[in-house]
Amino acid sequence: MLRGMKAKVTRLNYCQFLVSTQINYTLTYFADHATGFSHDAVKAYLERDKITPRLLWEQVKGDVVTSPEGFILFDDTVADKNHSRQMELVRRQYSGNAHGVIRGIGIVTCVYVNPELDRFWVIDYRLFAPDQDGKTKLEHMREMLDNAISDKQLPFKTVLMDTWYAERKLMLHIERLGKLYFCPIKSNRRVDETEGQQPYQRVDELTWSEEEEAQGKLIHIKDFPKGHQVKLFRLVLSTERTDYIVTNDLSQNDTSDTQEVCAQRWKIEQFHREAKQVTGIEQCQCRKARIIRNHIGCAMLVWRRLAQVARDTGRTIYQVKFGMLDDYMRQELRSPSVAMSFA
């Protein structure tokens, strides 16, 4: 097809662009390097498509190897748009990566982990857009959790989530589903270890015996139903960081085992980091919500494909992405397009 002719851009075309481009993820860059596609044609595709989280599941469900001992992980990340003032879906929100409040697009994600294989798959996501759908991040998480059971019918045993999601209604909902949870709680959360004999106190003000340090202790969290108990563990990760982990698995009596379980949660952090570095998930510069949603949806599909190739070829996702430049580098060193010279 001759350059300049108007051709329709497809989902496959756009995803291939996200796979192939190394730095620049703009529509102009795509149009400048794709024969037959104009900037307007790329924009028109992003305006007419409607990528939903269900599409991601349809693509990934054949890859997932399930386990009755599986984990479901929940967390959110923020696509940084701190310098954007006209983009829809952008709002001020806390970013753990930035350690503060920034302007960005919140993305709540769900990951399935097979601990026997030490592999994980991204199975669902939601955009945090309360002005459009009125939903909180907690509601998005509950919706994805229920969907994993009722629609996806995934076998799993344990839910892992961040401090933000350690909320009474959600934790009790997980219990009603017959699932276990492990989650950190804030150091100022008020708890009682005396079965009502003493007032509630901050969790970081509790005293710990040597036995409790090794095996955890039973506590009641303020505002939970009367008599409701969870197991509390104190994880000293460094001189500057101590995590307080609660679980409804009252049979758990080993702090080291609890730390190993909680370590599974870092897989979702790994996904967030990789998605930002190899898919351009936060690089969309268009203003309209539909275009942004489709771009993020395509980025999710691209991560799935890059992760699949990395697993099948025994490489990291970074080696797959940036290894595309290897042939170019060899050619340039053999026959430079711009030869170095000295005066």
Short mmCIF file of all heavy atoms in Angstrom, two decimals, residues 292-315:
data_model
loop_
_atom_site.label_atom_id
_atom_site.label_comp_id
_atom_site.label_asym_id
_atom_site.label_seq_id
_atom_site.Cartn_x
_atom_site.Cartn_y
_atom_site.Cartn_z
N ILE A 292 -8.12 6.57 25.96
CA ILE A 292 -7.26 6.17 27.08
C ILE A 292 -7.58 4.75 27.51
O ILE A 292 -6.68 3.93 27.74
CB ILE A 292 -7.43 7.15 28.25
CG1 ILE A 292 -6.93 8.55 27.85
CG2 ILE A 292 -6.66 6.65 29.48
CD1 ILE A 292 -7.30 9.64 28.84
N ARG A 293 -8.87 4.42 27.60
CA ARG A 293 -9.27 3.06 28.00
C ARG A 293 -8.77 2.03 26.99
O ARG A 293 -8.28 0.96 27.38
CB ARG A 293 -10.79 2.98 28.12
CG ARG A 293 -11.35 3.69 29.36
CD ARG A 293 -12.86 3.54 29.43
NE ARG A 293 -13.40 4.22 30.60
CZ ARG A 293 -13.48 3.70 31.82
NH1 ARG A 293 -13.04 2.47 32.03
NH2 ARG A 293 -13.99 4.39 32.83
N ASN A 294 -8.89 2.34 25.72
CA ASN A 294 -8.44 1.39 24.70
C ASN A 294 -6.92 1.25 24.71
O ASN A 294 -6.39 0.15 24.52
CB ASN A 294 -8.93 1.83 23.32
CG ASN A 294 -10.40 1.53 23.11
OD1 ASN A 294 -10.94 0.58 23.68
ND2 ASN A 294 -11.07 2.36 22.33
N HIS A 295 -6.22 2.35 24.91
CA HIS A 295 -4.75 2.28 24.98
C HIS A 295 -4.32 1.40 26.15
O HIS A 295 -3.45 0.52 26.00
CB HIS A 295 -4.16 3.67 25.13
CG HIS A 295 -2.68 3.67 25.39
ND1 HIS A 295 -1.75 3.57 24.38
CD2 HIS A 295 -1.97 3.70 26.56
CE1 HIS A 295 -0.53 3.56 24.91
NE2 HIS A 295 -0.64 3.63 26.23
N ILE A 296 -4.91 1.60 27.32
CA ILE A 296 -4.55 0.80 28.50
C ILE A 296 -4.93 -0.66 28.27
O ILE A 296 -4.17 -1.57 28.62
CB ILE A 296 -5.23 1.37 29.76
CG1 ILE A 296 -4.59 2.72 30.11
CG2 ILE A 296 -5.11 0.39 30.93
CD1 ILE A 296 -5.27 3.45 31.25
N GLY A 297 -6.09 -0.91 27.65
CA GLY A 297 -6.49 -2.28 27.34
C GLY A 297 -5.50 -2.95 26.41
O GLY A 297 -5.14 -4.12 26.62
N CYS A 298 -5.05 -2.25 25.40
CA CYS A 298 -4.05 -2.79 24.48
C CYS A 298 -2.74 -3.07 25.21
O CYS A 298 -2.07 -4.08 24.95
CB CYS A 298 -3.82 -1.84 23.30
SG CYS A 298 -5.14 -1.84 22.07
N ALA A 299 -2.35 -2.17 26.10
CA ALA A 299 -1.11 -2.37 26.87
C ALA A 299 -1.20 -3.63 27.72
O ALA A 299 -0.21 -4.37 27.86
CB ALA A 299 -0.84 -1.14 27.74
N MET A 300 -2.37 -3.91 28.28
CA MET A 300 -2.56 -5.14 29.05
C MET A 300 -2.38 -6.36 28.15
O MET A 300 -1.71 -7.35 28.53
CB MET A 300 -3.96 -5.16 29.66
CG MET A 300 -4.19 -4.13 30.74
SD MET A 300 -3.39 -4.60 32.29
CE MET A 300 -3.96 -3.25 33.35
N LEU A 301 -2.93 -6.32 26.95
CA LEU A 301 -2.79 -7.43 26.01
C LEU A 301 -1.34 -7.61 25.57
O LEU A 301 -0.86 -8.73 25.41
CB LEU A 301 -3.67 -7.18 24.79
CG LEU A 301 -5.18 -7.14 25.05
CD1 LEU A 301 -5.93 -6.70 23.79
CD2 LEU A 301 -5.69 -8.50 25.52
N VAL A 302 -0.64 -6.50 25.42
CA VAL A 302 0.76 -6.54 25.02
C VAL A 302 1.63 -7.15 26.12
O VAL A 302 2.51 -7.97 25.86
CB VAL A 302 1.24 -5.13 24.64
CG1 VAL A 302 2.77 -5.06 24.58
CG2 VAL A 302 0.64 -4.71 23.31
N TRP A 303 1.36 -6.77 27.39
CA TRP A 303 2.14 -7.38 28.48
C TRP A 303 1.93 -8.88 28.48
O TRP A 303 2.89 -9.64 28.65
CB TRP A 303 1.73 -6.80 29.83
CG TRP A 303 2.54 -7.42 30.94
CD1 TRP A 303 3.73 -6.97 31.43
CD2 TRP A 303 2.25 -8.64 31.65
NE1 TRP A 303 4.20 -7.82 32.40
CE2 TRP A 303 3.32 -8.86 32.56
CE3 TRP A 303 1.20 -9.55 31.61
CZ2 TRP A 303 3.36 -9.96 33.42
CZ3 TRP A 303 1.23 -10.65 32.46
CH2 TRP A 303 2.29 -10.85 33.35
N ARG A 304 0.69 -9.31 28.31
CA ARG A 304 0.41 -10.75 28.29
C ARG A 304 1.21 -11.45 27.21
O ARG A 304 1.79 -12.52 27.43
CB ARG A 304 -1.09 -10.97 28.10
CG ARG A 304 -1.50 -12.44 27.91
CD ARG A 304 -1.78 -12.73 26.46
NE ARG A 304 -1.98 -14.15 26.22
CZ ARG A 304 -2.07 -14.69 25.01
NH1 ARG A 304 -1.98 -13.92 23.94
NH2 ARG A 304 -2.22 -15.99 24.87
N ARG A 305 1.30 -10.85 26.02
CA ARG A 305 2.03 -11.46 24.91
C ARG A 305 3.54 -11.47 25.18
O ARG A 305 4.21 -12.49 24.96
CB ARG A 305 1.75 -10.73 23.61
CG ARG A 305 2.51 -11.25 22.40
CD ARG A 305 2.27 -12.73 22.18
NE ARG A 305 3.02 -13.24 21.02
CZ ARG A 305 3.37 -14.51 20.88
NH1 ARG A 305 3.05 -15.40 21.79
NH2 ARG A 305 4.05 -14.88 19.81
N LEU A 306 4.08 -10.37 25.67
CA LEU A 306 5.52 -10.32 25.97
C LEU A 306 5.88 -11.32 27.07
O LEU A 306 6.92 -11.98 27.00
CB LEU A 306 5.91 -8.90 26.38
CG LEU A 306 5.88 -7.84 25.28
CD1 LEU A 306 6.13 -6.46 25.87
CD2 LEU A 306 6.89 -8.15 24.19
N ALA A 307 5.03 -11.44 28.09
CA ALA A 307 5.28 -12.39 29.17
C ALA A 307 5.21 -13.82 28.65
O ALA A 307 5.99 -14.68 29.08
CB ALA A 307 4.26 -12.18 30.29
N GLN A 308 4.29 -14.07 27.73
CA GLN A 308 4.17 -15.40 27.13
C GLN A 308 5.43 -15.77 26.36
O GLN A 308 5.97 -16.88 26.50
CB GLN A 308 2.95 -15.43 26.21
CG GLN A 308 2.66 -16.78 25.58
CD GLN A 308 1.50 -16.68 24.60
OE1 GLN A 308 1.49 -15.86 23.69
NE2 GLN A 308 0.49 -17.53 24.80
N VAL A 309 5.93 -14.84 25.56
CA VAL A 309 7.15 -15.09 24.78
C VAL A 309 8.34 -15.28 25.72
O VAL A 309 9.19 -16.15 25.50
CB VAL A 309 7.41 -13.94 23.79
CG1 VAL A 309 8.77 -14.10 23.11
CG2 VAL A 309 6.30 -13.89 22.73
N ALA A 310 8.42 -14.45 26.77
CA ALA A 310 9.52 -14.55 27.73
C ALA A 310 9.54 -15.94 28.37
O ALA A 310 10.60 -16.57 28.50
CB ALA A 310 9.40 -13.47 28.78
N ARG A 311 8.38 -16.42 28.77
CA ARG A 311 8.30 -17.74 29.41
C ARG A 311 8.67 -18.85 28.43
O ARG A 311 9.42 -19.77 28.76
CB ARG A 311 6.89 -17.96 29.94
CG ARG A 311 6.71 -19.29 30.67
CD ARG A 311 5.30 -19.45 31.22
NE ARG A 311 4.32 -19.54 30.15
CZ ARG A 311 3.42 -18.61 29.86
NH1 ARG A 311 3.39 -17.49 30.57
NH2 ARG A 311 2.55 -18.77 28.89
N ASP A 312 8.17 -18.75 27.19
CA ASP A 312 8.40 -19.81 26.21
C ASP A 312 9.86 -19.87 25.75
O ASP A 312 10.33 -20.92 25.30
CB ASP A 312 7.49 -19.61 24.99
CG ASP A 312 6.02 -19.85 25.32
OD1 ASP A 312 5.74 -20.44 26.38
OD2 ASP A 312 5.16 -19.43 24.52
N THR A 313 10.57 -18.75 25.83
CA THR A 313 11.95 -18.70 25.33
C THR A 313 12.98 -18.64 26.45
O THR A 313 14.18 -18.52 26.17
CB THR A 313 12.14 -17.48 24.40
OG1 THR A 313 11.84 -16.27 25.13
CG2 THR A 313 11.23 -17.58 23.19
N GLY A 314 12.54 -18.69 27.70
CA GLY A 314 13.47 -18.68 28.82
C GLY A 314 14.19 -17.37 29.00
O GLY A 314 15.33 -17.33 29.47
N ARG A 315 13.53 -16.27 28.63
CA ARG A 315 14.12 -14.94 28.80
C ARG A 315 13.28 -14.11 29.76
O ARG A 315 12.17 -14.49 30.13
CB ARG A 315 14.21 -14.22 27.44
CG ARG A 315 15.19 -14.85 26.46
CD ARG A 315 15.22 -14.07 25.15
NE ARG A 315 13.98 -14.29 24.37
CZ ARG A 315 13.66 -13.59 23.28
NH1 ARG A 315 14.46 -12.61 22.87
NH2 ARG A 315 12.55 -13.85 22.62
#
